Each structure stands twice: as structure tokens, then as C-alpha cells.
Amino acid sequence: MGPDLLRHHFVLPGQVLATSHSETEGGFLRGHGTYIELVPDENDDDEHDFDDDGNIHGGGMAGRSKRDKGSSGWGNDNANVVMQMDDGNKDNKGDDNENDGHENDIPKGPQRLIASVAGTVERVNKLISVIPLSPSIYSGQVGDLVVGRIVGVGGSRWKVSLTCSSPASSGSNGSMKEGQLPLSGVNLPGGVQRIRTSEDVLAMRSLFKEGDLLTCEVQQVQARDGTLILHTRSLRYGKLDNGVLVTVPPSLVGRRKNHFVTLKGLNRKIVTDGNDASMDVDGEEGEGDVDVYLGLNGGIWIQRTVPPEWESSISADQDERAPLAETLQKLRHRHSTTRVSRSMRESIARVRNSIECLRLVHCEITPDSIEIVAKASLDEGVRVAHMLLPEWVVKLTEGTRQ
């Protein structure tokens, strides 16, 4: 099997990916999701277990003693590697027995490359990596929409957690991915365009403070350490209020042309009579429309759609020449201070549980899949509180598997 077919080979943590019989340098380069260890010296029969064509043999696990070759294991006990590397140094074996006096040097000998995560093998020439199926840490790209939480303020920048965990738990999460939002990357009140001053630095907490949720965009990925530089200069980005945050694995949220979507037609209400029978009651037009922000870091924000009459009333009360940024800031302020109605809270909760259903069955989360599950729950007359029952999770997500 050629190298191209290795691209989608599935491996498990601890599985041997490649071996090299070189006693000086390995015939492979270690990529992310892998680590290298020396082949035990007690038995050199490994070189007779595989051929030299780079073929895939099975799924062996590292750390298993050669004395257990008769025992059961992963796949064929005589085939423990995914690929065999030809390093051209097989004739130099036995030279390690000569001690040149460098006892503190790094031990050299036959090496093997082992997967540290579950995923698919990615090989580029001698570089071998394992791409995780569900990465727990988001690695961003320029232009990505993310939903984050402010965890620190200082030094003319905000520190943003991209795991979207609560403030109490984010500080102790060793795998937390963080980004930096500089003061120059945010819009000043009223949309004023000017150089930031020391007064702006002192007033940073009036814009965002610890615990605030916000949507922002990845502006830059630093090549040195992978730190993400964020910005909220677009009028679509900013602080989030009066909604619900759902956290899913980042692998379930794919890149789309538009990550700000509106779900319509969710204004039907489920009511029950005295016999616990359910029926639909149509709501007013536009009453149940819900906005969903799909963050590529796995954070999904759900809130009500701002009614058009709000914008009309604000526009009527201000000068026609007022900047758009000022109008949008007034709309956000009214949204954050206006109570969400009971029917709207039910629509938001239904969308939230629809996303949870998709997460439980590990289905890609898109506007179409969310709408399929939400409308299926309405058609079946399922109450929001019952959507996450196992029997309903399977039934409501059937439409996404067709």
C-alpha cells in the first residue's frame, strides 16, 4: 500500500506507527500527536516481522513485551506497525557496543514512532503526524469566528479563554487555549476612530471585564508559539448578553461562509391538555426566530433575533447622520436590558437541546442539522425538557443520518 493510502489510516493511542532500524537517526520525523521511543534491545526479531515496502500491517500497541507474542493483542501479533521506514542504515548495527566515553549522550538505537492520540495518520515524506478526531484544544486560523470568555485584563490587552469554560474552572484547566485581544483591536464607544491613550487603558474594564462572553475574529496566529491575536473591530462582533452558550468539540463545527445564522419557524408552542396529550399552537410571525453564532472553537451562542421595530424606534429618536456603530451599540444595550419572554426562552432552549442532541450522536453541527432536529421535536410534540432523553435523542437525529 502506497503512502497516499496511509492518509486515512485510523490509529489508537499507544499504537506503533513506524519503526527504524537505524542506530543513529530514525528514518522518520516526529509530527504532532506522536512520540518516539527506543526499540527494546532484548529482542531484534522486529526486523523480520515486516517487509521493506512501507505496507500497513495492522494495529499493534506499544509497550507489549516480545515474550507475549503468543498472547492476544491488537490485530496480528506478528504485525505491530502501521508503516516500515527504510533508513538505509541497517548495515551499521552493532556499532553501539563501542563506548567512546560519552556516557551522558542520548541513547541511540532502533526507534519506533508511537501515536499519543486517537486519530488518522497524516504523512508528508518522512514527517508522520496523527490528526485527532475530536481535538480538545482549538488551533485557530486567520479569519476564524470564535466565541470566548475574558479571563484577564491588563497590559493594554484582554486575555480570552477559547475553551468557553466558566471562570471558576477555566483557571485550573491545564489544556485551556487562550488568545489575546489588544486594545487597538476593539471599537471605542460611539465608533470613534483615534489612537488609544492611557485613559483608554484605564477604562478597559468598562468595555470588557473578567467573565464577559464575546464574539471575535482571529486576526493573526503568531508563528513562534501559536498565540492567537483577536479583534472585534467588525460591528458584528462584541459582547454577548441575554442568551445561552453551548460548548461542543471543535471538530463538530465546520468552516462556513457565514457563521451568523437565523433559524426561523420555531415559534410553534407545545401545550398539553389534562390527558398529557401534546399539540402545536402557532405563535406570531417572527416571534420565535433565534440567532445562532457558530464559533469554530466549539463555542456556540444562541439568542433571540432583534425585532425590526427596535431598530426603527432607535433610528427615529436619533439624527439621521448618526454613525451605524452608535445605532448598533444602542440596539445591543436594549437587547441586554430587555427581558426575554417565556415563549422566546422556550425557543432558545429548544435550539440549545437540538445542538446537544447532535453533540451526543457526534453529528456535524450546521444550521441545517440544527433546524432538522428542532423541527422534528416540534413535529413529534416533544417538550424541551424531554429532548435529551436517550430514546428521543436517537429518534430526533434520524433526519441527519439520511
Side-chain angles (χ1 to χ4, degrees):
M1 184 177 295
D4 292 340
L5 297 181
L6 297 173
R7 191 174 301 274
H8 301 291
H9 190 75
F10 178 76
V11 294
L12 297 172
Q15 184 169 343
V16 179
L17 302 178
T19 60
S20 172
H21 296 294
S22 170
E23 299 188 4
T24 55
E25 297 180 354
F28 45 76
L29 297 176
R30 182 181 69 87
H32 53 79
T34 64
Y35 65 94
I36 294 176
E37 74 173 15
L38 293 179
V39 176
D41 296 334
E42 59 183 1
N43 194 335
D44 292 331
D45 292 339
D46 278 351
E47 59 182 306
H48 303 295
D49 291 341
F50 323 111
D51 57 30
D52 295 329
D53 297 330
N55 293 336
I56 295 179
H57 290 288
M61 301 297 289
R64 189 160 58 94
S65 173
K66 293 301 179 181
R67 299 186 183 95
D68 299 335
K69 293 190 72 171
S71 61
S72 60
W74 291 85
N76 186 352
D77 287 336
N78 291 328
N80 296 326
V81 297
V82 174
M83 67 188 76
Q84 180 74 18
M85 305 302 296
D86 185 8
D87 43 59
N89 293 320
K90 294 182 179 180
D91 296 335
N92 296 328
K93 284 194 172 185
D95 293 342
D96 280 349
N97 295 330
E98 299 178 3
N99 190 344
D100 295 332
H102 304 285
E103 296 180 355
N104 295 328
D105 289 348
I106 298 176
K108 298 178 180 179
Q111 299 175 344
R112 58 187 178 187
L113 188 68
I114 300 172
S116 59
V117 296
T120 54
V121 176
E122 185 78 14
R123 178 180 177 184
V124 180
N125 295 330
K126 289 188 176 182
L127 177 64
I128 303 174
S129 307
V130 177
I131 308 300
L133 292 181
S134 295
S136 58
I137 300 179
Y138 164 71
S139 57
Q141 298 182 13
V142 175
D144 285 356
L145 168 71
V146 295
V147 177
R149 186 185 297 273
I150 301 295
V151 294
V153 182
S156 71
R157 64 186 59 231
W158 291 268
K159 185 182 295 183
V160 183
S161 170
L162 299 181
T163 56
C164 298
S165 55
S166 62
S169 62
S170 62
S172 60
N173 188 356
S175 62
M176 180 174 60
K177 179 71 174 179
E178 292 182 348
Q180 295 182 1
L181 176 63
L183 180 59
S184 59
V186 303
N187 289 320
L188 296 177
V192 179
Q193 300 292 332
R194 59 174 172 80
I195 298 176
R196 275 52 171 176
T197 64
S198 57
E199 287 79 6
D200 296 325
V201 176
L202 295 176
M204 286 177 60
R205 281 189 170 85
S206 64
L207 297 176
F208 303 112
K209 61 181 182 296
E210 291 86 346
D212 286 348
L213 287 168
L214 73 159
T215 54
C216 46
E217 182 179 315
V218 178
Q219 179 182 8
Q220 180 184 359
V221 181
Q222 293 186 353
R224 180 185 59 182
D225 55 1
T227 301
L228 302 182
I229 306 300
L230 312 173
H231 80 89
T232 62
R233 283 190 293 267
S234 173
L235 298 178
R236 299 178 301 173
Y237 306 139
K239 187 177 177 180
L240 299 174
D241 291 299
N242 254 354
V244 175
L245 175 69
V246 186
T247 303
V248 300
S251 59
L252 296 184
V253 184
R255 287 178 171 80
R256 303 174 49 83
K257 183 177 180 181
N258 185 15
H259 287 260
F260 295 89
V261 297
T262 299
L263 302 180
K264 300 180 179 294
L266 302 180
N267 54 348
R268 287 183 290 168
K269 305 174 185 178
I270 304 299
V271 297
T272 56
D273 56 18
N275 298 324
D276 292 335
S278 300
M279 61 180 179
D280 291 347
V281 176
D282 291 336
E284 297 180 2
E285 181 68 23
E287 180 184 357
D289 294 350
V290 177
D291 287 344
V292 180
Y293 304 160
L294 300 172
L296 286 169
N297 62 323
I300 300 177
W301 179 257
I302 310 168
Q303 68 176 32
R304 63 182 167 194
T305 300
V306 175
E309 54 268 19
W310 286 11
E311 185 174 357
S312 301
S313 62
I314 291 177
S315 300
D317 295 339
Q318 66 182 8
D319 189 358
E320 295 181 355
R321 294 171 296 179
L324 179 60
E326 183 178 347
T327 303
L328 292 179
Q329 286 180 355
K330 290 182 178 180
L331 279 175
R332 286 182 175 176
H333 177 73
R334 181 168 179 177
H335 166 73
S336 62
T337 56
T338 303
R339 182 177 177 272
V340 181
S341 65
R342 180 184 179 90
S343 60
M344 180 59 67
R345 292 200 301 270
E346 182 175 347
S347 298
I348 293 175
R350 187 172 298 277
V351 174
R352 185 261 180 197
N353 284 358
S354 299
I355 295 174
E356 286 290 342
C357 289
L358 295 171
R359 180 188 64 83
L360 291 173
V361 299
H362 205 76
C363 177
E364 183 179 7
I365 298 174
T366 64
D368 292 337
S369 61
I370 297 173
E371 191 172 4
I372 288 174
V373 176
K375 290 188 175 180
S377 66
L378 291 171
D379 295 339
E380 296 288 342
V382 183
R383 300 180 63 183
V384 174
H386 298 161
M387 289 180 63
L388 296 182
L389 295 177
E391 58 271 19
W392 282 117
V393 169
V394 175
K395 188 170 184 179
L396 295 179
T397 56
E398 284 181 354
T400 63
R401 295 188 288 271
Q402 295 178 357

